[in-house]
Amino acid sequence: MMELTKEELMAYRNILAEIDLLNEQMANVEPEFTKDSVTGSDTEFPFTKHSIKISGYDTQNYERRLLRLRNKINKKYIELVEEKDKIMNFIYSIDDSRIRQILIYRYINGLSWKDIGERMKYGTSTIRLIHGNFMKRLAPISTSKML
């Protein structure tokens, strides 16, 4: 069985939230509306100089920004999905069904200890004890202080 820390397990829900945020960022990129003025002249004599106001969307800058943002988001997205998969693989590699259920309920579904106990037909203290014993066996140094 691979090893994972409690901190990595707890990060799962934050990873999902960040993936959603990245998708939202991609969907909200829009071209900028720009305004400017230039000096021009009439096409016929006496060629009088005057100011001409122009406005529109800066599509070239938009395409560059979109490409940079897409690259950045895709890179981060891949990292997050790999981390999410690592956590899921870890949980599903655990032989003990009770521990697997507790970890899924707690870290994947984000349930409280009380809700987990109700679903599994155990008391809250029993659920916490099973979880705590597993976490101590998993990584005694990094997790024992957090229990």
Side-chain angles (χ1 to χ4, degrees):
M1 175 173 63
M2 62 187 274
E3 289 199 13
L4 216 59
T5 65
K6 184 175 181 180
E7 294 85 5
E8 289 172 307
L9 282 171
M10 292 173 68
Y12 183 83
R13 296 190 58 79
N14 292 331
I15 289 169
L16 293 181
E18 190 171 354
I19 288 171
D20 288 343
L21 177 65
L22 293 175
N23 287 328
E24 189 179 306
Q25 279 184 312
M26 281 300 294
N28 291 331
V29 176
E30 295 181 2
E32 286 182 46
F33 188 77
T34 59
K35 296 179 182 181
D36 201 358
S37 64
V38 295
T39 304
S41 65
D42 292 333
T43 56
E44 297 176 4
F45 188 77
F47 306 114
T48 309
K49 277 185 163 182
H50 60 279
S51 181
I52 303 168
K53 293 183 182 184
I54 56 173
S55 62
Y57 290 97
D58 185 354
T59 56
Q60 288 179 331
N61 188 37
Y62 167 72
E63 293 296 329
R64 283 192 302 272
R65 282 182 39 233
L66 187 60
L67 183 60
R68 278 195 313 269
L69 184 60
R70 269 196 187 127
N71 289 339
K72 182 190 281 187
I73 288 174
N74 285 338
K75 183 179 176 186
K76 188 63 176 175
Y77 189 86
I78 289 168
E79 289 174 22
L80 292 170
V81 168
E82 287 173 356
E83 187 65 25
K84 178 181 85 76
D85 290 345
K86 176 181 161 187
I87 292 168
M88 292 300 293
N89 290 337
F90 167 74
I91 291 173
Y92 287 110
S93 73
I94 297 169
D95 292 331
D96 188 326
S97 175
R98 286 184 316 164
I99 293 170
R100 207 171 38 248
Q101 289 176 64
I102 291 169
L103 295 179
I104 289 169
Y105 284 140
R106 183 70 178 173
Y107 299 108
I108 305 303
N109 298 346
L111 297 181
S112 68
W113 296 118
K114 181 179 181 251
D115 291 340
I116 296 169
E118 288 173 2
R119 287 187 183 206
M120 294 182 69
K121 310 291 189 247
Y122 289 108
T124 303
S125 59
T126 303
I127 294 296
R128 290 183 70 116
L129 182 66
I130 294 168
H131 174 269
N133 288 338
F134 174 75
M135 295 307 282
K136 284 178 187 172
R137 285 194 322 262
L138 179 64
I141 296 170
S142 69
T143 59
S144 61
K145 297 176 187 171
M146 297 184 68
L147 301 174

